[in-house]
Amino acid sequence: MKIGTYFAYWEQEWDVDFFPYISKVANLGFDVLEIAGGGLADLPDDKVLLLKEEAERCGITLTVCLGLPANLDVSSEDETIRQAGLAYMKRLIDKTALVGAAQIGGIVYAYWPVDYSKPVHKEAVREISIRSIRELADYALPYGITLNMETVNRFEQFLINDAAEATAYVKDVNRTNVKVMLDSFHMNIEEDSFYDAIISTGSYLGHFHIGEANRKVPGKGRLPWDEIGRALREIGYDGTIVMEPFVRPGGGVGSDIKVWRDMSANASDEQMDADIAESCRFVRNVFCK
Ligand code: MN
């Protein structure tokens, strides 16, 4: 298993320069840096290649994550929006290949967060979404890129809320490069059992986000990391595991993630680094037995 973190632990905005985070996370003990798709899709090629070279120099695997905005919703019943979403995702797939990454995960099958002031047409939207993801999977296949469908809680999306829905969706898409992505924060809300959810997903699991129930770094809260690690070992999971901690309020990140108080205990930048390095060691100890 490769252990990583999302850059946004340190940032208040999604669209930032990822370059300094590559050596930073390597020095903190990680194998993987996850970057935001939004910034990557429109990054000039020369800057993308600099990220690729730096990742190779530092021995870091890059993964890409995003939630599509409403105007790029590939599950939209408005065909103009759907086509805009497909065009955007193909641009992102091109840049993902250029940066040397092989995985795009998140809410790439719909949009995020859902506007619940509008009616929900779950069945109709699911069919449209599957059609779009098949097209994107076929586009991504020659690059060797996998699309990971992130399973998120009901307050953020309605299409894929638990491992059972995610696995059924991925089976219906029926493409080898489309997989399930689980996230312990969302699982804590929606699943009866962490163990059963991971076991039932089995070989369909392509990527895994980890964080405590309140999105602190793993090891600081009450999620059952032993149980989660045991389930991952039982399915023979050998993929990427990326922590996605959010502990500081402020900016677009704080607002989108709904962090309204300082959950870092007023940590200095140095303490933030020490906390996540310790969490990285904790996760390796518990998962890679
Ligand atoms: Mn996540």
Side-chain angles (χ1 to χ4, degrees):
M1 296 181 228
K2 285 185 176 172
I3 312 294
T5 186
Y6 200 35
F7 76 98
Y9 174 65
W10 292 277
E11 286 287 350
Q12 295 201 325
E13 300 302 333
W14 303 111
D15 192 7
V16 298
D17 183 8
F18 306 122
F19 190 92
Y21 289 106
I22 296 172
S23 57
K24 183 181 181 79
V25 303
N27 291 333
L28 290 171
F30 290 100
D31 313 308
V32 180
L33 174 69
E34 189 149 294
I35 61 177
L40 181 63
D42 296 315
L43 206 60
D45 284 0
D46 56 334
K47 292 235 167 100
V48 175
L49 287 170
L50 284 177
L51 293 177
K52 180 192 167 100
E53 284 167 18
E54 178 71 349
E56 283 170 359
R57 187 183 75 80
C58 297
I60 287 291
T61 298
L62 296 174
T63 56
V64 176
C65 184
L66 82 158
L68 286 170
N71 63 338
L72 298 174
D73 175 10
V74 297
S75 70
S76 178
E77 293 168 288
D78 179 332
E79 184 63 11
T80 308
I81 292 175
R82 191 179 83 91
Q83 287 299 337
L86 290 172
Y88 170 85
M89 280 299 296
K90 286 176 184 175
R91 222 163 63 238
L92 178 61
I93 290 166
D94 292 342
K95 298 283 183 174
T96 299
L98 198 61
V99 84
Q103 300 197 81
I104 304 174
I107 297 98
V108 295
Y109 52 83
Y111 79 104
W112 176 88
V114 166
D115 176 2
Y116 281 123
S117 69
K118 294 179 178 155
V120 171
H121 303 143
K122 182 165 173 170
E123 283 313 309
V125 161
R126 188 177 186 277
E127 281 188 25
I128 298 167
S129 170
I130 286 173
R131 190 152 46 87
S132 294
I133 289 295
R134 281 184 187 142
E135 182 175 332
L136 294 172
D138 293 343
Y139 186 84
L141 188 66
Y143 289 124
I145 289 174
T146 296
L147 305 177
N148 296 307
M149 308 295 115
E150 185 167 15
T151 310
V152 297
N153 74 73
R154 68 191 70 183
F155 304 107
E156 301 183 30
Q157 240 295 329
F158 57 81
L159 207 50
I160 300 179
N161 288 153
D162 66 6
E165 283 191 321
T167 305
Y169 177 97
V170 164
K171 284 180 179 171
D172 285 350
V173 169
N174 195 26
R175 295 292 188 274
T176 53
N177 61 332
V178 175
K179 298 262 194 176
V180 172
M181 173 171 167
L182 297 176
D183 180 320
S184 64
F185 163 75
H186 300 290
M187 294 171 82
N188 180 59
I189 297 172
E190 300 292 350
E191 305 287 354
D192 293 328
S193 152
F194 286 91
Y195 178 84
D196 291 347
I198 292 167
I199 295 293
S200 68
T201 304
S203 62
Y204 289 99
L205 186 63
H207 191 51
F208 192 32
H209 269 171
I210 53 173
E212 293 288 356
N214 54 13
R215 308 203 94 156
K216 290 185 184 178
V217 295
K220 280 191 181 284
R222 59 175 164 76
L223 290 202
W225 299 109
D226 277 317
E227 174 187 332
I228 292 169
R230 184 161 50 88
L232 290 170
R233 288 192 299 280
E234 279 188 31
I235 64 168
Y237 184 69
D238 194 29
T240 41
I241 295 173
V242 166
M243 55 181 77
E244 194 187 22
F246 298 101
V247 294
R248 281 174 165 171
V253 173
S255 165
D256 285 350
I257 301 295
K258 313 288 183 275
V259 183
W260 307 121
R261 67 194 192 280
D262 183 1
M263 306 185 66
S264 76
N266 267 321
S268 63
D269 291 348
E270 293 73 25
Q271 189 60 48
M272 288 281 286
D273 289 357
D275 283 351
I276 204 165
E278 186 186 340
S279 179
C280 181
R281 289 190 293 273
F282 169 80
V283 169
R284 271 193 217 285
N285 280 338
V286 177
F287 284 8
C288 307
K289 282 185 175 162

